[in-house]
Amino acid sequence: MVASPIFMLGPGTADALPAVSGEDLGGTKAVTYRGLRLDVPSSWAVHDLEARPRTCVRFDVPALYLGTPGADQDCPHRAVGRSDGLLVAPATGGEPDGTLAVGAAPAPTGTAPAAGNAPAGPGAASVDTTPASTASEETTHALAGTGLAVTAAYGESPDVVTAILERVQYTGPERTTPIGEPADLSATSGPAGSSPEPMFSDPSRTASGGNTPRHLGRGFDTCTAPSLTTMRAWLASPYRTVGIYIGGVNRACPDGNLSASWVRSSARLGWQMLPIYVGRQAPCAFQDDLGPIRPTNVAQQGATAAVDATRRAQRFGLYGGSTIYFDLEAYDTGNTGCRRTVMQFLHAWTTQLHDSGYLSGVYSSAASGIRDLSDAYGSSSFARPDAIWTARWDGRASVWGEPHVPDSQWGTHQRLKQYRGEHNETWGGRRLNIDSNMVDGPLGSVKYQYAVTSRIGLRARSGPGTSYPAVGLIRTGGLAYITCQQAGSQVGPSAVWNQLDSGGWVADAYVLTPGRPGYSQPIPRCAAPDPR
């Protein structure tokens, strides 16, 4: 079959042409979007997000998505697994993993290539589809001169997406591709001279104190982050914790709305964050389309996943002291070798998270991952996670009395339970497909920024009271970056103290928090009440 020429988009004509066009080319089909031509497998679905913005962008099915994902995608409650897929959309700034030089379409005989385009031909766009860490197998690149960016995801091998990206061609006008430098998410803005964030050592320590927020109440999780409009509407619900999928090779839904700005805005509305990472799965997992833990270098894979998880957590504004939950899908516990692989992987996951200043959580089914973790609870050679999240859809909204893990284990605000699976709920006129959870455990740590009101500066102390030694100073007019609040010694009208992202403490009486002299929403408490 002879290919017809691809659309030639010149200045002033791009908006007049259809956003998407495609033509079959035997085993592949050519798709053109805003002057960018991609040859993708004929079996791939092609979704025009500009025409259907509620389409759920999913990387667990082979597909090409064109356009900016809608703010309110019609996604399932959860989706795990990974196939090959691409998302091409107008670039919006931020920091991509790299920039691609894009080839021009072959010029007609006797004409020169369009100005600003790279030489034509396969291989003009060369990309290493392996991200900085291979754990996520998902990468975003700006496409130079096109005003577009591409997110590529792949399963066990990047060969398919690499072949597609090496052959992309561009015939549109030269457009600026915005590349903004995001805020420095790793920098702390605490007082000068304050101590660094605490590091955790093995064996794992109980999640009881420090700057790790906890919550007691109900939460929900869904495949992709809802719009802020929906998050505001859902304040009418009984939920106050939202599960967010931050990465992993088996994460099906990409970032979508999820960003550091989204996290900050949702937190200010009163939402607590529950970070979820869907990394490599048990080789004997019941779901057959999951990327498995490979048989060699198992511990290295677990550590690599943890490094990638902390990197992505920081990208979304979730700082040291946060708990990141590894999503471990159900597997065959009768396979002894497989169980051994899982526990070796999780040991390395927890150890690396602790070394990075984060807490470790594990989500799994009650009868597989949670039972195996319970069996290893007292082992001196296994770094147990700081919290467990049990999936048992019995409709009972309680973290206690579970058949596969005694109440004596993970008993200090270290438990979550997913008690109801896929279902729709509507609050404030906005419908979501969700799982429901009971939360009594550690969450993601978000900074809340408020101005200091003291005219002479505000001393930060090593504990929540004036008797603790000073560890730094926030100057007059400066900002306090707060992670949680706790009762301490009385200062003026208030006994509330704020813990800073640096680990120091400042009296709330001298910070412009919205609830002073009492506790402020949405800032979490540094400790949760005992529910029993």
Side-chain angles (χ1 to χ4, degrees), residues 356-438:
S356 300
Y358 285 74
L359 295 184
S360 164
V362 175
Y363 163 95
S364 192
S365 67
S368 59
I370 298 302
R371 181 166 61 182
D372 283 348
L373 287 170
S374 176
D375 289 345
Y377 186 85
S379 172
S380 61
S381 61
F382 177 71
R384 66 174 179 262
D386 303 281
I388 55 170
W389 183 357
T390 302
R392 197 162 75 90
W393 298 349
D394 60 355
R396 194 173 64 90
S398 173
V399 299
W400 307 109
E402 285 299 302
H404 299 295
V405 55
D407 288 351
S408 59
Q409 297 178 350
W410 293 283
T412 310
H413 315 300
Q414 297 166 276
R415 292 181 173 218
L416 294 78
K417 179 182 176 182
Q418 190 178 84
Y419 62 87
R420 186 181 180 189
E422 178 181 8
H423 65 285
N424 293 327
E425 290 193 26
T426 301
W427 296 97
R430 313 285 286 195
R431 180 181 63 84
L432 290 175
N433 187 251
I434 66 167
D435 297 319
S436 294
N437 304 288
M438 188 65 192

Side-chain angles (χ1 to χ4, degrees), residues 176-370:
T176 301
T177 303
I179 301 175
E181 194 71 27
D184 184 0
L185 302 181
S186 62
T188 60
S189 302
S194 60
S195 60
E197 292 170 340
M199 302 293 281
F200 296 92
S201 301
D202 293 307
S204 58
R205 33 189 288 183
T206 301
S208 57
N211 57 353
T212 301
R214 282 169 297 282
H215 180 72
L216 174 60
R218 297 180 190 245
F220 75 91
D221 59 272
T222 189
C223 186
T224 190
S227 68
L228 289 173
T229 300
T230 297
M231 297 302 292
R232 187 175 293 107
W234 269 55
L235 292 175
S237 76
Y239 305 113
R240 285 299 179 269
T241 300
V242 56
I244 52 175
Y245 288 86
I246 65 171
V249 64
N250 284 298
R251 181 182 70 155
C253 294
D255 295 346
N257 295 322
L258 186 59
S259 65
S261 175
W262 184 93
V263 168
R264 287 193 301 269
S265 298
S266 296
R268 284 190 174 274
L269 289 174
W271 292 97
Q272 303 290 328
M273 301 296 133
L274 185 56
I276 306 166
Y277 186 88
V278 196
R280 293 194 169 275
Q281 299 293 303
C284 56
F286 293 126
Q287 185 174 331
D288 60 9
D289 62 346
L290 300 177
I293 302 168
R294 294 179 173 126
T296 57
N297 299 319
V298 172
Q300 183 59 48
Q301 292 174 67
T304 298
V307 169
D308 184 58
T310 57
R311 178 182 64 87
R312 293 191 63 82
Q314 290 167 5
R315 173 182 175 181
F316 298 127
L318 300 166
Y319 299 91
S322 293
T323 305
I324 305 175
Y325 288 84
F326 189 95
D327 181 335
L328 178 65
E329 295 298 303
Y331 57 91
D332 180 8
T333 57
N335 187 325
T336 303
C338 180
R339 292 173 64 192
R340 186 181 300 112
T341 294
V342 167
M343 299 305 284
Q344 186 179 1
F345 182 96
L346 292 179
H347 171 84
W349 160 266
T350 296
T351 301
Q352 183 60 53
L353 282 182
H354 288 173
D355 288 346
S356 300
Y358 285 74
L359 295 184
S360 164
V362 175
Y363 163 95
S364 192
S365 67
S368 59
I370 298 302

Side-chain angles (χ1 to χ4, degrees), residues 395-528:
R396 194 173 64 90
S398 173
V399 299
W400 307 109
E402 285 299 302
H404 299 295
V405 55
D407 288 351
S408 59
Q409 297 178 350
W410 293 283
T412 310
H413 315 300
Q414 297 166 276
R415 292 181 173 218
L416 294 78
K417 179 182 176 182
Q418 190 178 84
Y419 62 87
R420 186 181 180 189
E422 178 181 8
H423 65 285
N424 293 327
E425 290 193 26
T426 301
W427 296 97
R430 313 285 286 195
R431 180 181 63 84
L432 290 175
N433 187 251
I434 66 167
D435 297 319
S436 294
N437 304 288
M438 188 65 192
V439 179
D440 183 14
L443 305 173
S445 182
V446 180
K447 295 179 185 178
Y448 301 85
Q449 173 182 308
Y450 298 101
V452 169
T453 61
S454 171
R455 296 180 180 177
I456 58 172
L458 180 59
R459 293 190 183 279
R461 300 186 177 274
S462 62
T466 55
S467 62
Y468 290 91
V471 294
L473 178 72
I474 302 179
R475 296 179 178 84
T476 303
L479 297 173
Y481 292 84
I482 299 168
T483 60
C484 58
Q485 293 184 317
Q486 179 177 313
S489 65
Q490 190 80 21
V491 176
S494 177
V496 175
W497 282 71
N498 303 308
Q499 186 167 42
L500 304 174
D501 62 341
S502 63
W505 295 81
V506 293
D508 192 59
Y510 298 110
V511 182
L512 199 60
T513 53
R516 65 174 188 166
Y519 290 103
S520 297
Q521 290 292 335
I523 305 173
R525 303 287 184 91
C526 296

